[in-house]
Amino acid sequence: GENVEQHPSTLSVQEGDSAVIKCTYSDSASNYFPWYKQELGKRPQLIIDIRSNVGEKKDQRIAVTLNKTAKHFSLHITETQPEDSAVYFCAASFSKLVFGAGTILRVKS
Amino acid sequence: KAGVTQTPRYLIKTRGQQVTLSCSPISGHRSVSWYQQTPGQGLQFLFEYFSETQRNKGNFPGRFSGRQFSNSRSEMNVSTLELGDSALYLCASSLGGQGGSNQPQHFGDGTRLSIL
């Protein structure tokens, strides 16, 4: 079935360190992979996305990589800051957008 | 450009009642998707509307329904409310066209529904 697995469920890093969140998806036909950041009590915000014809995309401190063969994609945040603390969701497009369970990222200052 | 607007922000209902939630998409967006967010189940897809037609549906009972108007605004209705329906209901809009799930979706602030 349509499934997205996300790891880890929680991640604590020291300010300035890097954070990596990984997702795997079940359907090789998926071709769109967005990442959302949701701060406490706020709406999920699209922070970066990638399509299946691209292997990597970068936007300042955020990057996403995609391995279509392994059906695996990852979010990389470099030089983490306290304001990066939030829940991060990955998603993959099937007939609908299917979300991972989320990763709680805590950046300790 | 105004973002996605959802009303009301908070709602308290009792079991057995019914409720209607509203979503106004970003201007020019024709696709509206609805999601249920709970701590245990994460973000679960309810349905997607495009050009006043339901284009896709998730695995929710028939008590959950929706519709879309000619101006792309959408409503979702939940009848015979149960305690387990307590959740944050989010809508997201996208340009639409060929497959709303393949395009960036932008979320509203949600409606927090509490069932007593």
Side-chain angles (χ1 to χ4, degrees), chain A residues 1-93:
Chain A
E2 301 166 339
N3 189 44
V4 175
E5 291 192 5
Q6 182 172 346
H7 298 281
S9 55
T10 60
L11 179 59
S12 288
V13 299
Q14 203 65 36
E15 182 178 359
D17 287 351
S18 293
V20 180
I21 302 170
K22 300 180 179 183
C23 291
T24 57
Y25 58 99
S26 57
D27 188 348
S28 56
S30 296
N31 60 5
Y32 176 64
F33 308 91
W35 286 88
Y36 287 86
K37 173 185 180 183
Q38 188 175 28
E39 296 175 75
L40 193 62
K42 297 195 173 180
R43 68 179 74 184
Q45 280 202 302
L46 179 65
I47 56 171
I48 196 167
D49 56 10
I50 193 168
R51 296 194 181 274
S52 58
N53 58 346
V54 175
E56 184 174 356
K57 185 176 177 181
K58 210 170 184 179
D59 182 4
Q60 299 183 334
R61 296 185 297 109
I62 295 172
V64 57
T65 58
L66 172 65
N67 182 328
K68 282 193 299 182
T69 305
K71 291 187 283 186
H72 170 275
F73 59 114
S74 299
L75 177 71
H76 304 253
I77 305 174
T78 58
E79 300 171 24
T80 53
Q81 300 166 5
E83 52 264 39
D84 293 330
S85 296
V87 181
Y88 291 81
F89 293 96
C90 63
S93 66

Side-chain angles (χ1 to χ4, degrees), chain A residues 31 36 38 43 51 93 95, chain B residues 37 56 102 105 107 109:
Chain A
N31 60 5
Y36 287 86
Q38 188 175 28
R43 68 179 74 184
R51 296 194 181 274
S93 66
S95 53
Chain B
Q37 187 174 31
N56 216 331
N102 291 332
Q105 294 187 15
F107 283 87
D109 287 327

Side-chain angles (χ1 to χ4, degrees), chain B residues 17-40:
Chain B
Q17 288 187 309
Q18 66 95 27
V19 68
T20 300
L21 313 181
S22 179
C23 173
S24 293
I26 291 170
S27 177
H29 284 195
R30 296 167 62 196
S31 169
V32 174
S33 297
W34 288 89
Y35 297 87
Q36 182 194 65
Q37 187 174 31
T38 58

